[in-house]
DNA sequence: GCCAACGTTGGC
DNA sequence: GCCAACGTTGGC
């Protein structure tokens, strides 16, 4: 069973539509400059895992789609570092899977019993990459109008 | 190692 | 634009 994650993105910078428009619908998820998130990208997020794509800093903030990890963590050189430098930041590659027919807003997530422990809803949470429980993933995808089983094979 | 100052995130 | 809640930096 793949693990489930939630990746935040400001759609003005990189949206789910941008991902869907990439060649092979695939893009490197670079630019993460937070050590906790870096550790997840380096050590935990694996090829085959599923990702809820979340739009932040827009109204309303919402889960808008699903992606899959097609490449596990590897060095992110978007800071200008080179092969010879020890890697400081890491990225994974994501491939677009689907839009949620009904985006699931932050407010809607707060109102769901199945999501009461969702890390995204924790006060003060600022991590841009969050682990999501399998049942939480299912609840969000179902609320968004899709069958979660389609992504959990 | 402490902690004040500063920067960033992100909902509202 | 505001501001709470962080994370980071750097002087000591």
């Amino acid at each position: 069973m793949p693990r489930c994650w939630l990746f935040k993105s400001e759609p003005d910078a990189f949206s789910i539509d941008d991902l869907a428009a990439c060649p092979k619908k695939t893009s490197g998820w670079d630019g993460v400059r937070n050590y906790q998130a870096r550790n997840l990208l380096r050590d935990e997020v694996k090829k085959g895992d599923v990702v809820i794509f979340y739009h932040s800093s827009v109204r309303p903030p919402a889960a808008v789609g699903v992606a899959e990890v097609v490449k596990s963590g590897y060095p992110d050189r978007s800071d200008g570092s080179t092969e010879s430098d020890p890697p400081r930041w890491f990225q994974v590659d994501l491939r677009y899977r689907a839009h949620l027919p009904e985006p699931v807003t932050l407010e809607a997530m707060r109102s769901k019993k199945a999501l009461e422990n969702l890390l995204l809803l924790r006060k003060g949470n600022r991590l841009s990459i969050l682990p999501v429980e399998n049942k939480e993933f299912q609840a969000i995808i179902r609320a968004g109008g899709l069958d979660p089983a389609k992504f959990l094979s």
Side-chain angles (χ1 to χ4, degrees):
Chain A
M1 190 70 93
R3 291 186 72 183
C4 304
W5 306 93
L6 183 145
F7 282 28
K8 294 181 192 172
S9 185
E10 298 189 18
D12 288 348
F14 191 79
S15 71
I16 182 91
D17 294 326
D18 293 329
L19 180 62
C22 284
K24 298 185 182 177
K25 301 184 177 184
T26 297
S27 174
W29 198 264
D30 62 7
V32 173
R33 296 293 182 264
N34 169 283
Y35 288 106
Q36 209 178 331
R38 186 278 308 268
N39 293 345
L40 293 174
L41 288 174
R42 186 187 58 194
D43 305 328
E44 306 284 343
V45 181
K46 296 298 180 188
K47 182 178 177 180
D49 288 353
V50 286
V51 171
I52 292 170
F53 202 112
Y54 176 85
H55 281 171
S56 66
S57 296
V58 285
R59 299 184 44 155
V64 294
V66 185
E68 66 176 322
V69 179
V70 292
K71 186 174 179 181
S72 301
Y74 64 100
D76 170 3
R77 299 302 186 178
S78 64
D79 60 355
S81 66
T82 63
E83 285 286 318
S84 57
D85 299 313
R88 184 176 186 197
W89 304 114
F90 282 77
Q91 65 181 317
V92 299
D93 285 355
L94 285 192
R95 180 146 79 105
Y96 169 86
R97 291 293 305 275
H99 278 67
L100 293 177
E102 298 282 342
V104 185
T105 65
L106 190 62
E107 185 184 19
M109 289 190 252
R110 285 192 202 285
S111 70
K112 291 203 178 303
K113 178 77 171 159
L115 300 178
E116 61 185 352
N117 293 320
L118 189 69
L119 291 177
L120 180 70
L121 306 182
R122 285 251 184 96
K123 184 177 179 181
N125 150 68
R126 283 174 34 183
L127 252 197
S128 62
I129 291 172
L130 299 164
V132 173
E133 295 295 324
N134 195 280
K135 68 162 195 172
E136 294 169 339
F137 176 84
Q138 296 193 40
I140 293 168
I141 300 306
R142 211 173 286 122
L146 295 180
D147 175 8
K150 180 179 168 191
F151 306 105
L152 294 173
S153 54

